[in-house]
Amino acid sequence: QVQLVESGGGLVQAGGSLRLSCVASGRFFSINAMGWYRQAPGKQRELVATILSGGSTNYADSVKGRFTISRDTAKNTVYLQMNSLKPEDTAVYYCNGQGMGDVFHKFDSWGQGTQVTVSS
């Protein structure tokens, strides 16, 4: 079983920055992709950014140029550097990891979420 634990959320003023971290632990064979999603009150969960094992990244249009996703493979950790934050970035941010638990079984795990609040 794979556990994902996020950290780094908090309250910040508009224009400020935050850095989220997510550490994967447990038993797994490989992690193929990690990503960040967010869910604002009354809205559906949406993709923020993803990064593949080869380093390819993908961003939501709303965060391009402001957010940067990166990962430390040796530490099984993914980061989300968020700059120029806007009030509309306020949401619970969730980490997602996908890969192989063993050579036969895939996993698709979620963290518990971390709150990001941007004040105007």
Side-chain angles (χ1 to χ4, degrees):
Q1 191 172 1
V2 181
Q3 295 83 40
L4 301 176
V5 178
E6 303 103 333
S7 61
L11 173 64
V12 64
Q13 288 187 332
S17 299
L18 282 175
R19 188 193 195 205
L20 305 183
S21 301
C22 172
V23 181
S25 62
R27 297 177 63 87
F28 51 88
F29 182 71
S30 64
I31 299 177
N32 300 328
M34 296 188 79
W36 291 94
Y37 294 73
R38 66 187 182 187
Q39 188 167 17
K43 295 187 177 181
Q44 290 188 331
R45 190 173 298 187
E46 63 177 4
L47 179 146
V48 176
T50 59
I51 184 166
L52 302 183
S53 57
S56 299
T57 58
N58 182 50
Y59 295 92
D61 288 343
S62 59
V63 306
K64 283 181 180 177
R66 300 188 298 123
F67 291 10
T68 302
I69 189 170
S70 61
R71 78 188 271 184
D72 185 332
T73 303
K75 295 181 179 180
N76 295 319
T77 300
V78 64
Y79 305 97
L80 185 68
Q81 178 66 45
M82 305 185 293
N83 299 327
S84 302
L85 282 161
K86 305 175 181 179
E88 50 263 44
D89 294 318
T90 295
V92 177
Y93 283 69
Y94 296 91
C95 177
N96 174 260
Q98 300 175 20
M100 299 299 294
D102 55 42
V103 293
F104 300 109
H105 300 97
K106 297 180 181 180
F107 71 85
D108 185 345
S109 297
W110 292 88
Q112 80 287 352
T114 185
Q115 177 70 46
V116 172
T117 303
V118 185
S119 63
S120 58

